[in-house]
Amino acid sequence: MELTLWTYEGPPHVGAMRIASSMEEVHYVLHAPQGDTYADLLFTMIERRKKRPPVTYTTFQARDLGGDTAELVKRNIREAFDRFQPKALLVGESCTAELIQDQPGSLATTMGLDVPIINLELPAYSKKENWGASETFYQLVRGLLINQSKENIQHDPSSWQKEGRKPRVNLLGPSLLGFRCRDDIIEIKKILNEYEIEINLIAPLDATPSDLLKIPKADLNICLYPEIAETTCSWIERNFGIPFTKTVPIGIGATKDFLDEVHHLLEKENKNQIKINSRLPWYSQSVDSNYLTGKRVFIFGDGTHAIAAARIAKEELGFEVVGIGTFSREMARKVRSVAKELGLEALITNDYLEVEKAIKESSPELVLGTQMERHSAKRLGIPCAVISTPIHVQDVPARYSPQMGWEGANVIFDTWVHPLMMGLEEHLIGMFRHDFEFTDGHQSHLGHLSRNEEKNSENTDNHLQTSSQENQELLIWTQEGKAELAKIPYFVREKVRKNTEKYARQAGCRQIDSETLYDAKVHYKDK
Amino acid sequence: MSGATLLKETGPREVFCGLTSIVWLHRRMPDAFFLVVGSRTCAHLIQSAAGVMIFAEPRFGTAILEERDLAGLADAHDELERVVQNLLKRRPEIRTLFLVGSCPSEVIKLDLSRVAEKLNIALQGSVRVVNYSGSGIETTFTQGEDGALKALVPLMPESQEEQLLLVGTLANAVEDRLITLFNRLGINNVKSFPPRNSIDLPAIGSKTKVLLTQPYLTDTARELNARGAEIIEAPFPLGVEGSSLWMEAAANAFNVKDILLDEILEPLILRAKAAIKPYREKLSGKKIFLLPESQLEIPLTRFLRNECGMIPIEVGTPYLNKEIMKAELDLLPSDIRIVEGQHVENQLDRVREQKPDLVVCGMGLANPLEAEGISTKWSIELVFSPIHGIDQAADLAELFARPLYRHDLLNNKQLSYA
């Protein structure tokens, strides 16, 4: 049993709903009690969908449990089939139905319905949403293609050349409740088009079951979101020989690598140099971006976006990554290896309070996280940009706002840097606050920061004592030392305080004055 | 007795479960914690329905059952105790802990009352632990509050003092206002249940007269009655008519003279009617269709029909307790179509057929209906907004008029630039 105040992922059947709702002509009969219908609002409210998710909930009640719930399941399957006439029917259960073991999927197959039935078994007490989405997509693709497989296992990646046509690729993984999928596919389509590569199909978003039957016609699968599509891509590779891409094109470097990988897998020569059609490199290089150098960033999100963010932060913006983690256990290994390269230990957790604690401890100047980290960062007074699900209504903006490709890199530059600019502005205001122009309540959008700052300085004494007591070693900050500390920008003050105290202990100082601060500064610079 | 057409429907439903009421209960009693014993679905439901992220640490959470908890019940009970002890260690400000049963905990027959009992002994009164079920296999949306309040009734002390007890969560400002009005009527001993602090439970006894503020407190009313309290029969305090009859019922129970009642209520009624007038102009003659969810549907229909001139096409209600709704049904004419239960697909077919001007529904259905050109009002907004009492009647009308104004505003093709 695990105490959860808030969770990054929903249950696995919500993942299944994401696949069903992303597609056309698919219906999902979900054996579940009435309360589970809340999940509809994720699609109609957060994603602002104009259609109800194609889901029929059996909504069994306590009084049904003594009777024949299997009959109830069949009635709902029959009604849903008659009413919606789907071309593929997903049948599964939520957490409660799993306990009563009606096996709705097996029931459905005995009903003689003229439709492919996909029996979804998604263990609700051990798995989560992304896994459920991945499994559902895989079961659906497998269910529809199983009869075709093995026939044309001899895949020739360059057959397009022999057939005198453009190469064709599938874009796999974009789904509802994913992060900016809607715009990512537009961007990727556009880029591939520039390299004379055709899109065979996109799935699950907006695809029909008959579209999925065309999957084997592609020369290459593009695995856009490994969380959702990797299992499916590797099944297709095993059964049809179609390879798939491993690079997720988020950021300049990754988009470039992605295009190289696509060309390589298609055995396609790229006659022209890859043209980087983004403003990010120049904006990052321009002199006014100097202040970004070495900015401390903390990264947390789903695996794909966290890994991409780390690379962009380090290689393309010149930040220093001081923490990285993910809530996705399935991606833990990949995130760990990225963390290791950065000399960090990855934080793999579903507990947002643990993430908040890690943020606090690493004193970043920018947090790249989920909407939850946005709230945590706000409490800590640190600027934040959102890079990952769980989805929030703000993550479905009206404007075109991809994360992938060249335009995605532009969007990322703005999204990450703007909160920092505001942070810097805040700092300048802090520096100039004694000038007469600024004396009265001048605040940028991070209005709470200056309030926090005042509060903090009022509490400085208590705070300093507490920290000393904790360590059972009495360190005394002189008035002068405190005054010097107060001059340090708020976002690094805590870090400086800790380092100075650590240094003072090592050096055997009992009193910390301004000189100790400078000594500590030099001490840590040398390292 | 009313001759309203009472129909029953079964089929797939689209309603929240009782866990959802935690969203307003935790705000009412800031010293209480609601611990759902359930699955990841329960946790996800509550965080989707409530803006959890704004809290540094919310006063509700879920003890998520895992595979090994399903394997052995005895261990699951111990596990739950461990989770509670950890929680209480971290949150020393908690005075009352609600263990809230869910669909999975009910199905595996986790005995929350036994766990509560053991914890109460262990905690020696420092925190009171009670339990109730908010499961979707037994409760709908607002019924969760009924369960929570019912669980508190045995903890209420005994008192033989004459008092008026208002039962059901109200917005604090509305509650203050209603108490002021009762005081003006000479009813001075007015208490509220649930109280603003979970440990300040009102006393109860044979001289307690209960006035329900909400229509979904069937079980709580029964328990209060079993403790000797008298339940005053009245419609619910929504709109001018309902609110004044509600106050009148209390006045009668406390032998307040009619002349005083009139003197206090008349000016309020006049003022409220004037305030409703502009909204009545907007709403009058418009067709309304209410899908079942909050259990407020019947009292709202009475207000919207009798005071705002709307035409109710169909009134859905998750379940119908004729006893508690009697005073409401008496105020409705015989041609009102009331449907208990739901077959959501068939009901939506009827919505499309009837083309109502406004549909009251849950959040899952609102945008798809809007996309079809049908204006909607979320039922969940009605349980969060201060809508009770005569003085709030116009605000209540405004809630329904707003989607219609907005519809006109956005569909006005002849924009003039004067």
Side-chain angles (χ1 to χ4, degrees), chain A residues 81-97:
Chain A
F81 178 73
D82 290 345
R83 179 181 279 268
F84 299 103
Q85 298 283 311
K87 297 291 184 307
L89 185 66
L90 307 175
V91 183
E93 51 202 357
S94 77
C95 49
T96 310

Side-chain angles (χ1 to χ4, degrees), chain A residues 374-395:
Chain A
R374 185 169 65 83
H375 282 85
S376 301
K378 203 193 273 176
R379 282 192 285 273
L380 298 169
I382 304 168
C384 177
V386 175
I387 58 160
S388 156
T389 55
I391 202 169
H392 181 280
V393 73
Q394 284 188 353
D395 302 322

Side-chain angles (χ1 to χ4, degrees), chain A residues 1-11 13-14 33-38 40-42 44-45 48-53 55-63 65 76 79 83-84 94-96 98-100 123-129 350-353 356 371-372 375 379 392, chain B residues 11-17 33 35 37 39-41 43-45 47-48 52-58 60-70 76 79-80 82-83 87 90-91 103-104 107-108 110 136-140 343-346 348-349 363-365 367-368 371 378:
Chain A
M1 217 173 277
E2 176 203 359
L3 175 67
T4 300
L5 300 171
W6 186 84
T7 165
Y8 289 92
E9 288 184 77
H13 73 262
V14 167
Q34 61 183 0
D36 291 9
T37 58
Y38 81 88
D40 281 2
L41 75 85
L42 304 170
T44 66
M45 298 291 294
R48 283 188 238 246
R49 294 286 284 182
K50 294 181 173 185
K51 283 189 300 191
R52 286 169 62 210
V55 180
T56 297
Y57 304 84
T58 60
T59 60
F60 60 88
Q61 292 176 293
R63 60 168 179 267
L65 291 179
N76 276 283
E79 280 190 27
R83 179 181 279 268
F84 299 103
S94 77
C95 49
T96 310
E98 186 180 327
L99 300 170
I100 56 178
Y125 297 93
S126 53
K127 300 290 188 184
K128 295 185 206 146
E129 179 182 330
N350 191 39
D351 180 353
Y352 74 93
L353 292 171
E356 183 169 330
Q371 291 285 344
M372 185 44 103
H375 282 85
R379 282 192 285 273
H392 181 280
Chain B
R13 293 155 73 103
E14 175 96 14
V15 286
F16 282 135
C17 63
F33 192 96
L35 181 63
V37 184
S39 64
R40 186 165 303 279
T41 316
H44 199 234
L45 154 84
Q47 79 185 40
S48 304
V52 178
M53 286 193 284
I54 59 169
F55 303 109
E57 285 208 37
F60 47 87
T62 308
I64 294 185
L65 295 164
E66 287 164 308
E67 223 112 75
R68 61 171 186 276
D69 299 310
L70 305 175
E79 267 291 285
L80 180 55
R82 183 188 60 83
V83 167
L87 172 72
R90 206 167 75 192
R91 306 289 286 274
C103 299
V107 167
I108 63 169
L110 207 58
I137 54 176
E138 295 157 309
T139 62
T140 303
H343 186 302
V344 65
E345 305 296 346
N346 294 348
L348 289 173
D349 284 347
M363 291 200 280
L365 297 174
N367 265 339
W378 305 332

